[in-house]
Amino acid sequence: MNTRKLTDGFQAAFGTTVNDFLQDARLNEAYRLLSSGATNVSEAAHRVGYTPAYFSAVFRKRFGISPRDLL
């Protein structure tokens, strides 16, 4: 199976792209970490594979609040 067929099949099955699916999963995990008080913003960002500055921007875009608001 080539890459194009795989990505098209994924999108047909899940209604989203692979990248959007992964980003959503990473941000949901970060939300869980922050809301449980298990980590600070910088550590949560690193745990899910983002730099803290970029993480804050994508987190705010996804959830409409700053990650610091969950602490």
Side-chain angles (χ1 to χ4, degrees):
M1 179 177 284
N2 66 35
T3 303
R4 179 68 183 192
K5 283 186 178 184
L6 181 61
T7 56
D8 287 348
F10 186 93
Q11 188 160 5
F14 297 103
T16 188
T17 65
V18 174
N19 288 337
D20 287 346
F21 180 85
L22 291 174
Q23 183 178 50
D24 192 50
R26 291 163 72 187
L27 290 173
N28 285 334
E29 175 63 10
Y31 190 101
R32 186 190 68 75
L33 289 169
L34 292 169
S35 64
S36 72
T39 63
N40 61 34
V41 174
S42 183
E43 187 177 339
H46 287 293
R47 281 193 183 186
V48 297
Y50 289 110
T51 62
Y54 184 67
F55 171 71
S56 292
V58 296
F59 190 94
R60 182 174 288 125
K61 184 177 178 182
R62 167 71 169 81
F63 295 110
I65 59 171
S66 169
R68 293 201 188 281
D69 293 343
L70 293 176
L71 299 178

